[in-house]
Amino acid sequence: MPTLTLPAEGGCRCGRVRLKISAKPLLTMACHCTGCQTMSASAYSLSAAIPSDGFEITQGEPVIGGLHGASRHFFCPHCMSWMFTRPEGLDWFVNLRPTMLDEPGWFTPFIETWTSEKLPWAETPAVHSYEALPTLDEYEALVAEFAGR
Ligand SMILES: [Zn+2]
Ligand SMILES: [Zn+2]
C-alpha cells in the first residue's frame, strides 16, 4: 500500500486550481448519502478531513457550488470538479476529496456514513459503518482510533 508523504499536492481535472496539504488527515470517510451520490456523479463521495492550517490553495480560485448552503462545497470554476467541502460550523478542518491529490493511492475510507441511502451493491472497506452520521462524541473516539492505527 502506498503511504501518504507530506507535503502532498493536487488539483482539479483541468489543473487550473492546485492545492497542497501539509498535515495528515484526522479521519477518512466515504459518504453514501443521496446528496453525495448526485454531486459526485458516483456511488459515494470520499473525504479526507485535513486540519485547516495544513490545507492551502496554491493556484486558482475555487468557487462555491452544490446547494450553496451553510456547508460550503468548493469546485473548480472551469472544469467544475468537486474539490473540497468546508462543513458548517467546523472550521478547524477541510473535507478534501482525496482523488484531487496527485498520489491518492494511500487513501482508504476508515468510516462510511449514510449506508441507509446507499446503492444496493455499493461496498467500501470502511472499518466503521453508520446508517446516518456518528454523534460528535463518536467522532472524537473515531479520530483518536484513526490516529492510533
Ligand atoms: Zn479545473
Ligand atoms: Zn454525503
Side-chain angles (χ1 to χ4, degrees), residues 17-45:
V17 178
R18 294 288 295 169
L19 55 82
K20 182 166 80 176
I21 63 170
S22 54
K24 284 196 280 191
L26 301 166
L27 196 61
T28 59
M29 299 163 277
C31 182
H32 296 274
C33 84
T34 54
C36 284
Q37 290 180 29
T38 308
M39 273 204 299
S40 66
S42 190
Y44 46 79
S45 70

Side-chain angles (χ1 to χ4, degrees), residues 12-17 76 78-81:
C12 61
R13 182 77 195 266
C14 76
R16 282 173 171 81
V17 178
C76 168
H78 186 77
C79 70
M80 307 292 180
S81 302

Side-chain angles (χ1 to χ4, degrees), residues 33-102:
C33 84
T34 54
C36 284
Q37 290 180 29
T38 308
M39 273 204 299
S40 66
S42 190
Y44 46 79
S45 70
L46 299 176
S47 292
I50 305 296
S52 295
D53 56 7
F55 178 85
E56 193 186 338
I57 299 297
T58 55
Q59 180 190 304
E61 286 203 27
V63 295
I64 289 180
L67 291 179
H68 294 244
S71 284
R72 290 168 295 155
H73 301 291
F74 287 89
F75 292 72
C76 168
H78 186 77
C79 70
M80 307 292 180
S81 302
W82 182 26
M83 301 186 72
F84 61 95
T85 299
R86 292 188 183 275
E88 177 183 9
L90 303 168
D91 55 6
W92 63 91
F93 69 90
V94 176
N95 274 336
L96 172 65
R97 310 279 91 75
T99 46
M100 296 304 130
L101 295 171
D102 298 336

